[in-house]
Amino acid sequence: QVQLVESGGGLVQPGGSLRLSCAASGSIFSINAMGWYRQAPGKPRELAASITIGGIPNYADSVKGRFTISRDNAENTVYLQMNSLKPEDTAVYYCHAAGFRGTYFDSWGLGTQVTVSS
């Protein structure tokens, strides 16, 4: 089992920045990749950014050039630096981990709210 705890959400004005953190615990050795998904009201959950165990990032087109995902393997933490935030970035952001431990698994955090509004 892998447990994920997010932090860092909040209210920010358009053009502002926030940094989200996701701390992983449990069977962290079994994680292959981690990422951030987001879900706006009335919309399906979508990938914002992900990063492999080797540090290779992947971004949704809508956040490229504005968001940066990184990981600190020593602290078992993944970060999402969000700059130049737009109202359309408003969503609940969920941390996700995927891996293999006898069988493939997905783990999710409870989510953190990000609201971009003036």
Side-chain angles (χ1 to χ4, degrees), residues 33-108:
M34 295 184 69
W36 291 93
Y37 284 72
R38 63 185 186 180
Q39 187 167 21
K43 294 186 177 181
R45 192 173 296 189
E46 64 176 9
L47 175 69
S50 64
I51 188 166
T52 67
I53 188 70
I56 299 173
N58 179 51
Y59 298 98
D61 288 343
S62 58
V63 307
K64 280 181 181 177
R66 300 187 298 121
F67 290 11
T68 302
I69 190 169
S70 61
R71 63 188 297 166
D72 183 334
N73 290 332
E75 296 294 330
N76 303 316
T77 301
V78 171
Y79 302 97
L80 186 67
Q81 178 66 43
M82 305 185 293
N83 299 329
S84 302
L85 283 161
K86 305 175 181 180
E88 50 263 43
D89 294 317
T90 295
V92 178
Y93 284 69
Y94 296 90
C95 183
H96 171 259
F100 183 85
R101 191 185 183 196
T103 185
Y104 289 101
F105 69 85
D106 292 279
S107 294
W108 295 91

